[in-house]
């Protein structure tokens, strides 16, 4: 019962009692009518509960931290006429409080559209919904609360910043703009013929192979000239200070995301590695969709990356023949063994750059100097400082 329904129950009961006491049958009749109204409404709602449906549409399933996502919710009635509706959208705490909407009574088959904005502040994967719908009879005497199942996922990627273009040198020079040829570990064998995909140049169709396989096949370049970069993020709990979203891991992840965007835009094929080794690589089919898809995949990995409990820096991927080219590391605190391992990593690449986070223990400057002696170009990223200034310093 709503407050209105309970008030009518109380008023009807009082009228019946007063009518009996003073011997007024009219009071008794009025009291019975008033008493029956909310009870009848309750019975009708129980027998014919509201049939409300809800469909949610996120304007962007992936946004960057600090951006705003628009949510559109369609609410419809496929049952009998309802009373006023109260729709409560359930949201995670980091996306703000729940959203409440009051709708006018809905006729059978009628629908309405609700819109609201979500302001994101922290990276992560969040569930939007389900919705709790309060419906009742047209007189508003009875309230029925029902959870409409169904959630949508909003992925919030790390906050990034634009970086200046700096001179990135290496031992292997490619064409014109210092491109590095993929000759690492003997080179990755390129498939010279592959299946046709929408958007391929028709002039590259290889007709003899297409006729033999009865499938359109296209030629690929036999040897691609490209820039290659391995981006290492040290996300061990041992290396960082603080907990949760106040940890120094957050600026480290944001710096890594900024470097992914910047280096990919400059033509690098960026391979993301973490202190645990491989964070999970896209499938070959996904990689073939282009650089943009690879960047999105890596930003999704960084969005949900948590601090690793291991204290050991895993560089096993170096032994897999995936070293070489440009190496960029985002690190914080390093143990003695870590520093020796990074010395070997610098020797495995064509050029090595390190962004060292200042964790407040006063060791960042000394760590930069030691890394410089081991063949790295290193610069400190101060707490609350801009990565652009640190990146510019690495290019001097």
């Amino acid at each position: 019962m709503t407050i209105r329904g309970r008030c009518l129950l109380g008023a009807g009961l009082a009228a019946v009692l007063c009518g009996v006491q003073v011997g007024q049958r009219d009071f008794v009749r009025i009291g019975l009518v008033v008493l029956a109204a909310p009870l009848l409404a309750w019975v009708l709602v129980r027998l014919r509960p509201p049939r409300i449906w809800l469909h949610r549409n996120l304007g962007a399933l992936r946004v960057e931290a600090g951006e705003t996502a628009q949510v559109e919710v369609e609410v419809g009635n496929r049952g009998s006429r309802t009373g006023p509706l109260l729709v409560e959208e359930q949201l995670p705490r980091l996306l703000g409080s729940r959203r409440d909407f009051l709708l006018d009574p809905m006729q059978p088959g009628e629908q309405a559209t609700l819109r609201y904005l979500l302001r994101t502040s922290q990276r992560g994967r969040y569930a939007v919904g389900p919705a709790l719908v309060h419906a009742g009879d047209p007189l508003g005497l009875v309230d029925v609360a029902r959870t409409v199942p169904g959630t949508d996922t909003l992925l919030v990627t790390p906050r990034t910043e634009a970086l200046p273009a700096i001179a990135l040198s290496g031992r292997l020079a490619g064409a014109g703009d210092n491109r590095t040829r993929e000759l690492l570990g003997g080179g990755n064998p390129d498939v010279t013929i592959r299946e046709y995909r929408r958007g391929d140049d028709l002039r590259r169709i290889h007709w003899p192979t297409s006729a033999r396989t009865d499938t359109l096949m296209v030629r690929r370049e036999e040897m691609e000239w490209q820039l290659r970069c391995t981006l290492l993020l040290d996300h061990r709990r041992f290396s960082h200070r603080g907990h949760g979203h106040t940890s120094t891991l957050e600026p480290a992840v944001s710096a890594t995301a900024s470097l992914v965007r910047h280096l990919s835009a400059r033509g690098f094929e960026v391979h993301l590695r973490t202190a645990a080794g491989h964070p999970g690589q896209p499938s070959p089919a996904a990689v073939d969709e282009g650089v943009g898809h690879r960047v999105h995949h890596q930003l999704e990995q960084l969005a949900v990356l948590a601090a690793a409990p291991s204290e050991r820096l895993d560089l096993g991927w170096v032994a897999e023949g995936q070293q070489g080219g440009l190496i960029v590391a985002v690190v914080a605190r390093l143990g003695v063994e870590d520093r020796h391992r990074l010395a070997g990593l610098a020797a495995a690449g064509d050029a090595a750059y390190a962004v060292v986070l200042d964790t407040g223990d006063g060791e960042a400057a000394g760590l930069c100097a030691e890394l410089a002696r081991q063949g790295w170009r290193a610069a400190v990223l101060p707490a609350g400082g801009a990565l652009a200034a640190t990146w510019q310093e690495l290019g001097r």
Side-chain angles (χ1 to χ4, degrees), residues 318-367:
V318 178
E320 297 174 8
Q322 297 188 19
Q323 72 275 21
L326 182 68
I327 296 178
V328 181
V330 179
V331 298
R333 295 176 62 247
L334 293 175
V336 176
E337 181 182 354
D338 298 332
R339 304 183 187 201
H340 289 308
R341 294 170 66 82
L342 287 180
L345 180 60
D350 301 326
Y353 298 81
V355 176
V356 180
L357 270 78
D358 184 2
T359 57
D361 54 10
E363 297 181 2
L367 177 58

Side-chain angles (χ1 to χ4, degrees), residues 38-113:
L39 295 177
L40 181 61
W42 184 85
V43 172
L44 291 176
V45 169
R46 297 291 294 179
L47 293 177
R48 301 178 64 184
R51 300 176 61 192
I52 305 298
W53 59 266
L54 183 145
H55 175 71
R56 187 182 299 102
N57 177 41
L58 290 176
L61 297 177
R62 177 176 52 225
V63 296
E64 185 175 310
E67 294 180 346
T68 300
Q70 177 173 299
V71 183
E72 184 177 278
V73 182
E74 294 182 358
V75 181
N77 176 26
R78 54 171 171 254
S80 57
R81 185 179 186 274
T82 70
L85 298 178
L86 176 63
V87 181
E88 299 178 356
E89 274 279 81
Q90 309 298 314
L91 299 174
R93 180 181 56 84
L94 291 176
L95 293 183
S97 59
R98 72 185 188 192
R99 300 293 194 274
D100 297 343
F101 302 92
L102 184 61
L103 301 179
D104 294 331
M106 301 185 70
Q107 300 291 341
E110 185 180 355
Q111 65 183 56
T113 301

Side-chain angles (χ1 to χ4, degrees), residues 239-257:
S239 302
H240 294 275
R241 291 286 184 266
H243 300 280
H245 294 295
T246 62
S247 167
T248 55
L249 175 62
E250 294 307 308
V253 171
S254 294
T256 304

